[in-house]
Amino acid sequence: QVQLVESGGGLVQAGGSLRLSCTASGRTINRDTMAWFLQRPGEEREFVACLFRSYGRTYYSDSAKGRFTISRDNAKNTVYLQMNSLKPEDTGVYFCAADSTIILSSISDARHYDNWGQGTQVTVSS
């Protein structure tokens, strides 16, 4: 089992940037599919971005495309989400997820990830 801890959230004005981090412990995540999801109050978790396995391929929601970048540092067992040009609708709790067996067609479905962090709050003011 892997433990995931997110950090880097906070309050930022619209147009600003934040970098979220997700650090894993318990085992290496170098070959896992790693993803970020956003949960707004009263809503289900929404796919934001994904690094598929160790292939280096990245996938983004339409909202995140062009503004957010997901990356990983294998030496630090950490995944990042660089968020630029933030908008008020980006507000919510961001969760990091990991899975070692998920298939490509399921990467945007939160139900298929086995490991989750506790989340980090991002608030974008207008």
Side-chain angles (χ1 to χ4, degrees):
Q1 192 77 349
V2 63
Q3 292 77 46
L4 304 173
V5 177
E6 301 97 333
S7 61
L11 173 64
V12 63
Q13 288 188 332
S17 299
L18 283 174
R19 188 178 79 156
L20 306 183
S21 300
C22 172
T23 299
S25 61
R27 63 169 176 80
T28 180
I29 55 168
N30 294 353
R31 295 184 180 182
D32 281 42
T33 293
M34 301 298 299
W36 289 94
F37 285 79
L38 163 63
Q39 187 166 26
R40 302 182 184 90
E43 298 183 9
E44 294 186 352
R45 293 182 188 183
E46 171 186 303
F47 173 76
V48 175
C50 168
L51 260 172
F52 185 63
R53 297 189 184 172
S54 60
Y55 305 143
R57 285 183 288 179
T58 56
Y59 299 86
Y60 298 93
S61 66
D62 287 342
S63 176
K65 214 169 290 183
R67 299 189 299 128
F68 294 1
T69 303
I70 187 171
S71 62
R72 75 164 96 210
D73 185 333
N74 289 337
K76 295 182 179 180
N77 220 27
T78 298
V79 172
Y80 303 98
L81 184 67
Q82 177 66 44
M83 305 188 294
N84 299 327
S85 303
L86 282 161
K87 305 175 182 179
E89 50 264 44
D90 296 321
T91 294
V93 179
Y94 283 76
F95 292 90
C96 174
D99 199 278
S100 59
T101 63
I102 195 170
I103 60 175
L104 186 57
S105 59
S106 299
I107 59 172
S108 63
D109 189 338
R111 297 171 298 176
H112 290 274
Y113 288 85
D114 286 340
N115 304 285
W116 292 87
Q118 82 290 347
T120 185
Q121 175 71 42
V122 171
T123 304
V124 184
S125 63
S126 57

